Amino acid sequence: MTVQVEFPKASSESYEILIESGIIKKTGEILKSLACLKSVRTFSIVSDENVAPLYCGTVADSLISAGFNVALFEIPAGEKSKSAEQYFELQNGLAENQITRSDALIALGGGVVGDLTGFTAATYLRGLPFVQIPTTLLAMVDSSVGGKTGIDIPAGKNLVGAFKQPATVLCDPDTLKTLTPEIFSDGMAEVIKHGMIRSEKLLQILLEKPIHENLPEIIEANVKIKRDVVQKDEFDTGERQLLNFGHTIGHAIEKLSNFEVSHGNAVAIGMSMVTRAAVKKCVCPQECQSTLEKLLEKFNLPCKANFTPEEIYTAALSDKKRTADTIIEVIPVALGNCELRKIPISELIEWIE
């Protein structure tokens, strides 16, 4: 399966998202065929301590067979690696290995690896090409597509970053077989999110069919939803903010928990809280809440937080979607349909409560 990402205003180069079982074994062959990577001599593979032992060897062997040099960089697993310290450590590692502008990076892993590697690629030597090879469901359907990269700082999540589109994205569904049920469920939060904002049909498929029976098709459907939104609004000034459904509250919960609550679990809680509030305010029908909660239950995702509304509100004040005294919130209005609404920051507490 191939999904083409194109930017009509030519703000970034187009690229392909390839979805195929076993595709990581063809990494070298595929990258060698891309015109945008024709000058690359060395690929620096960035992975984490969990993923590296599973797939670094396969990807490195494929690259070497295609005639490339390979450098490997392994980071600790987990959200805490999306830090300034890890960012500068990776930058220094590239410099020590004499990585130049004729080289490129590969993000091999989940969303943390992709965000960190992408931000490094956007800024090291003022920009190197990079390739996304996501190995988690969350990264395949969401974070590897669209070019958002960045790191966290103590004040909040993703507050430092850059837009950097990948040269290509290689999704190998076989890598999902090594995920724990908890990490797989974490990715399902973003799958459900895409259905809530854009596709009632996807929601029905998730309700009625076993997920593992048509996983490549589910990945493709999600990638197309995100592709369609990103192509219209690459730099997140309008429609792309729909992809933040559940994220204002979700990011606040992650921060409050010191990232002990995973991204998918936090977003699930955020979606649930906003949808319940929308029903109470008569903005959307009850079926939005009931369908969402059925799906969260089916995929073992939470719908309630262990923090007070006041704590969540305070943590959400540093959200990057805030401008002065207002914040853009994503509100469901029907199944498969959400809207952007600018609300006074003082009213956010009502939606959280």
Side-chain angles (χ1 to χ4, degrees):
M1 299 175 182
T2 301
V3 178
Q4 186 78 23
V5 182
E6 297 179 340
F7 297 97
K9 296 181 180 179
S11 51
S12 295
E13 291 186 10
S14 63
Y15 58 93
E16 291 182 338
I17 302 162
L18 306 178
I19 306 165
E20 179 186 326
S21 293
I23 199 171
I24 63 170
K25 298 175 184 176
K26 305 176 185 177
T27 299
E29 171 190 338
I30 293 169
L31 300 190
K32 192 171 185 178
S33 70
L34 296 181
C36 62
L37 300 176
K38 64 181 179 181
S39 66
V40 173
R41 296 177 302 173
T42 299
F43 278 101
S44 295
I45 303 173
V46 183
S47 193
D48 70 31
E49 59 193 355
N50 293 336
V51 176
L54 296 172
Y55 304 117
C56 262
T58 300
V59 174
D61 288 348
S62 177
L63 291 166
I64 292 168
S65 295
F68 297 108
N69 299 317
V70 175
L72 301 175
F73 297 89
E74 185 176 309
I75 66 172
E79 185 73 27
K80 292 181 180 179
S81 281
K82 274 180 60 174
S83 65
E85 293 77 14
Q86 194 64 59
Y87 166 72
F88 285 117
E89 185 173 329
L90 181 53
Q91 297 268 6
N92 281 323
L94 295 173
E96 290 170 359
N97 280 268
Q98 299 181 357
I99 300 303
T100 71
R101 285 182 174 174
S102 62
D103 301 320
L105 277 61
I106 293 177
L108 177 64
V112 169
V113 169
D115 285 359
L116 174 66
T117 306
F119 186 42
T120 302
T123 51
Y124 181 72
L125 298 179
R126 295 189 175 89
L128 298 181
F130 89 111
V131 173
Q132 288 271 21
I133 307 182
T135 60
T136 66
L137 181 61
L138 190 152
M140 286 185 191
V141 302
D142 187 58
S143 61
S144 68
V145 180
K148 277 190 177 180
T149 71
I151 58 173
D152 307 330
I153 59 175
K157 183 168 177 173
N158 296 332
L159 294 184
V160 177
F163 290 94
K164 175 70 173 177
Q165 299 296 340
T168 190
V169 182
L170 308 182
C171 295
D172 188 339
D174 287 350
T175 63
L176 303 182
K177 296 175 183 177
T178 59
L179 299 182
T180 64
E182 292 78 15
I183 294 177
F184 186 86
S185 290
D186 210 51
M188 285 305 302
E190 295 288 356
V191 173
I192 295 167
K193 177 200 76 177
H194 286 143
M196 289 292 292
I197 67 170
R198 271 294 175 89
S199 177
E200 184 178 358
K201 179 181 177 182
L202 176 58
L203 296 174
Q204 291 305 315
I205 291 172
L206 296 175
L207 281 171
E208 296 168 4
K209 296 184 179 181
I211 186 68
H212 291 285
E213 286 187 2
N214 58 345
L215 199 48
E217 290 77 13
I218 293 292
I219 294 170
E220 181 187 30
N222 278 265
V223 165
K224 285 182 174 178
I225 289 171
K226 183 157 190 184
R227 182 272 314 270
D228 291 346
V229 173
V230 169
Q231 283 182 160
K232 295 178 182 178
D233 179 24
E234 182 181 1
F235 297 114
D236 205 22
T237 58
E239 185 176 347
R240 183 169 179 165
Q241 294 178 65
L242 286 170
L243 297 168
N244 291 322
F245 179 43
H247 283 58
T248 297
I249 293 174
H251 285 168
I253 290 170
E254 286 183 87
K255 179 182 176 182
L256 288 168
S257 74
N258 197 26
F259 299 104
E260 292 299 318
V261 176
S262 67
H263 178 70
N265 277 249
V267 167
I269 295 168
M271 291 190 294
S272 183
M273 291 176 72
V274 171
T275 302
R276 286 199 298 270
V279 171
K280 288 181 180 179
K281 290 175 177 287
C282 299
V283 175
C284 74
Q286 176 65 41
E287 67 171 340
C288 286
Q289 180 181 343
S290 59
T291 298
L292 174 61
E293 291 183 353
K294 283 178 186 176
L295 286 169
L296 296 180
E297 181 180 3
K298 178 177 180 178
F299 295 104
N300 299 309
L301 290 162
C303 59
K304 294 183 180 179
N306 292 323
F307 302 101
T308 67
E310 290 75 18
E311 288 173 323
I312 295 172
Y313 171 76
T314 301
L317 292 179
S318 61
D319 191 277
K320 63 182 182 297
K321 297 178 289 299
R322 179 185 174 187
T323 55
D325 295 326
T326 63
I327 192 166
I328 301 294
E329 194 52 80
V330 187
I331 309 297
V333 294
L335 279 178
N337 186 14
C338 289
E339 293 181 353
L340 297 174
R341 297 198 179 183
K342 183 182 288 189
I343 62 174
I345 196 70
S346 58
E347 292 182 12
L348 181 60
I349 188 70
E350 296 178 17
W351 287 89
I352 295 171
E353 288 174 337

